[in-house]
Amino acid sequence: MKVAKVERKENTSLFLKYTQNRHDLLRRLETTNRPFKFPGMTKHGPIETTANMNKNVFADKYPEINEHYLFHGTSDATVRAIAYGDLDTLLAGDGMYGRGIYAAECPTKSDHYTGTAMSNLKMIVVRMLLGEMYVTNVAYPFQRPPCKQCIPGNIDTCNNSAHKQDMFDSVMAALDGKHREFITYEQNRCSSYPEYIITYKRE
């Protein structure tokens, strides 16, 4: 892969929704007085994009609530709509873990979803609020992240209103030791903000 161009995009209304959700996670963190654990740190290591990024360029993020930059691959036909509108589940496909927003720490994983051409391909760098992650190595069509009190029995069918504040925020999938995927399920929240468009070619 060879990068031809990187464009930074700004969507004020979408970013305001994103920062409100970030504020809610920070407030929850303050209430619990403990950082959200990053699961699988020992087994899988830290998220590569965060570990390898230029700290000066990406200074405005909060790893204590698992805010990370990740890659989102999509077709050229939809990349502009995603960059200028909501990166919501209407633009996401039905993946192995349900209908959500999929991202990866490895660009070669996201490259699988950008089409069959060899040049002028697009990939989005997405700022994501992963919060408390549910980790799985089993494919399952989630409708939302599972309830902490109901797993493993009822993975995503909890309807108990008393559990409303006890849901995971995202899913981290590590199927068969392959590249990890990170999935958010928006449900009227904004957990993903598309910030950069990368134009590249395959070599």
Side-chain angles (χ1 to χ4, degrees), residues 10-45:
E10 294 186 2
N11 183 324
T12 303
S13 61
L14 183 60
F15 192 65
L16 285 174
K17 294 178 184 178
Y18 177 88
T19 54
Q20 179 59 55
N21 191 20
R22 183 169 65 182
H23 173 75
D24 292 343
L25 286 174
L26 287 168
R27 187 166 52 188
R28 192 205 309 170
L29 176 68
E30 184 178 357
T31 301
T32 59
N33 197 31
R34 58 177 176 80
F36 297 156
K37 292 181 180 179
F38 173 64
M41 178 70 78
T42 302
K43 182 177 180 181
H44 300 288

Side-chain angles (χ1 to χ4, degrees), residues 13 24 30 35 37 48 55 57 71 83-84 90 92 95 97 100 113 115 117 140 147-148 168 170 172 175 182 201 203:
S13 61
D24 292 343
E30 184 178 357
K37 292 181 180 179
E48 293 179 12
K55 301 300 188 294
V57 175
F71 297 102
Y84 289 104
L90 294 176
Y97 302 94
Y113 304 98
Y140 184 86
C147 171
K148 299 172 191 174
F168 286 97
S170 63
M172 185 183 87
L175 187 62
F182 302 86
K201 66 178 181 179
E203 293 187 323

